[in-house]
Amino acid sequence: MNLKIKPQIFTPMKSILKIVILSLTVVLFNCKKDGYDLTFKYASNPVSYACENNNNNLYSEALYSFENDILKYYGINKRNKNALPNLNTAYKTFISNIVYNNIPYEKVISAHSIEVFKALKKDGDLWDAESPNSHLNFNSNIISCIAKNIKNENLKTTFNSLLSVNNLSSKLFGPALRSSKISPLSDKHLASYIALEMYYSKLFDIDLTKIPSKQAEDTKTDADKNEDPHAGHDH
């Protein structure tokens, strides 16, 4: 018996369907990267530090999202509003406001950072619910990595001294960071500590459900509404 095999005909519609399915597969993979239900907007950016940790991609995403938030809110040059936002300015102002406990997190945070925070909350090693000093677990692998790799020796010494007594909180390390005038732009390990302790850990105390819905690309520039007279100045 002769079997006639009917040749498969690829119509334009079938080709389009295959392309759509392939595209959706790529998108879903990106959203589920490393097991987190999160779209990694900064996946093409270099990993911010070299630590032996399975969550490096998530921590890097958290850092870049944090930097984008403070750039939009604190990176504006008040003397020249036509100038492009500056991340170094943003860091200086953010750190000054941390020292004076004057960060309006509800206004600074973006929709993407809220999603990043939800993913970070699933990291059992990162947080310490029992600590009276901070929600961040100072005995976590990422903090141990940061402690070994901070570039500035003075800050590194202070960091490790506070770490030895398990109180590496914003309240104690913030003033040392501010007075050092060291830019976190040149040290991503230091910047990662700032993002995790001085930004994301504070979100545990904020009811994020009461924050008005935000667009992914937030264009607000409310930095000039900051009430802290010390912010943005070196003393």
Side-chain angles (χ1 to χ4, degrees):
M1 181 174 66
N2 294 327
L3 294 177
K4 292 184 179 181
I5 300 175
K6 185 177 180 181
Q8 188 174 4
I9 300 175
F10 290 94
T11 63
M13 183 58 70
K14 287 184 178 180
S15 298
I16 292 173
L17 182 59
K18 285 192 173 185
I19 293 173
V20 170
I21 292 174
L22 179 61
S23 298
L24 286 174
T25 301
V26 172
V27 170
L28 288 174
F29 175 78
N30 186 49
C31 292
K32 300 290 183 180
K33 188 175 182 179
D34 295 339
Y36 293 101
D37 188 12
L38 172 70
T39 299
F40 283 70
K41 291 176 60 175
Y42 305 98
S44 60
N45 290 24
V47 175
S48 53
Y49 38 78
C51 301
E52 295 181 2
N53 194 301
N54 293 331
N55 289 337
N56 277 352
N57 289 323
L58 177 59
Y59 295 158
S60 289
E61 185 75 12
L63 173 60
Y64 289 122
S65 189
F66 157 70
E67 288 187 336
N68 189 59
D69 289 356
I70 64 171
L71 177 66
K72 289 181 176 179
Y73 195 86
Y74 289 119
I76 305 300
N77 186 329
K78 296 179 183 179
R79 295 187 180 90
N80 180 10
K81 293 190 176 182
N82 292 322
L84 293 175
N86 182 279
L87 188 54
N88 191 47
T89 298
Y91 263 115
K92 287 181 179 179
T93 310
F94 178 82
I95 292 169
S96 290
N97 278 271
I98 273 289
V99 171
Y100 294 99
N101 194 27
N102 190 33
I103 302 290
Y105 292 96
E106 298 90 340
K107 296 180 180 179
V108 180
I109 195 167
S110 64
H112 183 62
S113 288
I114 291 176
E115 295 306 310
V116 170
F117 176 58
K118 291 177 182 177
L120 287 172
K121 286 170 68 176
K122 298 178 181 179
D123 185 340
D125 181 61
L126 188 58
W127 309 111
D128 183 0
E130 303 300 323
S131 173
N133 301 315
S134 171
H135 293 292
L136 187 64
N137 178 16
F138 299 139
N139 295 313
S140 62
N141 292 329
I142 184 61
I143 292 299
S144 296
C145 173
I146 291 171
K148 296 175 184 176
N149 290 285
I150 291 177
K151 294 179 180 179
N152 181 271
E153 288 301 322
N154 290 332
L155 279 179
K156 186 175 183 178
T157 298
T158 302
F159 190 97
N160 281 279
S161 294
L162 293 173
L163 183 59
S164 67
V165 295
N166 198 35
N167 194 0
L168 194 58
S169 63
S170 303
K171 182 178 181 180
L172 295 182
F173 190 67
L177 183 61
R178 181 175 183 266
S179 62
S180 72
K181 301 181 182 179
I182 299 297
S183 173
L185 288 179
S186 61
D187 188 343
K188 288 303 183 184
H189 290 88
L190 181 62
S192 294
Y193 160 79
I194 294 171
L196 292 173
E197 161 59 17
M198 300 183 178
Y199 196 60
Y200 290 105
S201 75
K202 307 300 184 185
L203 301 182
F204 280 97
D205 300 321
I206 295 174
D207 187 352
L208 297 177
T209 63
K210 293 184 179 180
I211 298 179
S213 178
K214 296 188 175 191
Q215 298 297 321
E217 296 300 326
D218 194 346
T219 58
K220 68 179 180 301
T221 55
D222 292 335
D224 55 340
K225 296 180 182 179
N226 171 35
E227 297 177 357
D228 178 11
H230 302 277
H233 297 280
D234 293 326
H235 297 284

